[in-house]
Amino acid sequence: MPPSPSPPVSPAEHSAIVDAIHRALAARQESGKSGIAASVLCNGQTVAKAENEVHLHCDPTRHAEMVAITRAAEALGTTDLKQCVMISTLQPCEMCLAAMRFAGIRRVIFAATQGRVAGKYFAFPHLSLDDFRHGNDFDAIGGICEDLVLHLYATGEE
């Protein structure tokens, strides 16, 4: 049984992170996929799910969050995702955070935090989540169910 969510995480968000963790664990067994999963929620409902497809498509931009943003925009018929929440099993990298901000996503909830995973996942480790905030319009909550996924990201092989 996963630990209880921290107070600022809604039941729908907690359910989505648990689902993403299960998908990440399954994806690491699939050829071409990595054990990183993301979802986009809109009004508490999942509108897109994705796993990392970098090796599957030989495309370094196919991070789970990037694929989820594309699928959410297609599902909602808009590139304005300001009503959406990003869910990820790993703290989003700088590329994914920038894409989220361009899409208008103002909230991200993730499991594994940068300080507890291999450095390979961050090309610009000197940038922090605070660098992606504009005033108080961006909310980042990490460490939710973190212990369930840390083993995936310990060596940087995912």
Side-chain angles (χ1 to χ4, degrees):
M1 183 88 172
S4 297
S6 61
V9 178
S10 74
E13 292 166 340
H14 186 261
S15 178
I17 195 87
V18 170
D19 175 68
I21 289 168
H22 290 297
R23 289 186 292 108
L25 294 169
R28 73 184 303 225
Q29 305 302 321
E30 293 182 43
S31 178
K33 287 194 176 179
S34 297
I36 302 169
S39 298
V40 175
L41 304 181
C42 186
N43 299 318
Q45 300 295 314
T46 300
V47 295
K49 294 181 180 184
E51 291 78 39
N52 183 300
E53 298 178 351
V54 167
H55 300 294
L56 187 65
H57 295 288
C58 293
D59 181 347
T61 69
R62 300 287 292 180
H63 290 196
E65 298 90 347
M66 300 290 279
V67 177
I69 288 169
T70 298
R71 290 178 181 167
E74 289 171 350
L76 296 172
T78 182
T79 58
D80 182 0
L81 303 180
K82 68 182 170 222
Q83 301 302 319
C84 296
V85 175
M86 174 65 71
I87 305 291
S88 183
T89 58
L90 177 60
Q91 180 175 325
C93 72
E94 307 85 0
M95 174 180 68
C96 295
L97 285 166
M100 288 170 42
R101 297 302 289 161
F102 275 100
I105 295 174
R106 298 176 181 166
R107 182 171 171 87
V108 60
I109 297 166
F110 54 92
T113 55
Q114 182 174 357
R116 297 190 66 196
V117 302
K120 164 222 185 236
Y121 297 107
F122 300 91
F124 304 98
H126 62 283
L127 293 176
S128 72
L129 289 167
D130 287 338
D131 293 315
F132 291 89
R133 287 187 168 96
H134 302 295
N136 292 324
D137 73 340
F138 185 69
D139 194 18
I141 302 168
I144 306 300
C145 301
E146 183 174 38
D147 290 338
L148 299 176
V149 295
L150 281 177
H151 68 282
L152 293 175
Y153 315 123
T155 64
E157 295 300 314
E158 273 311 303

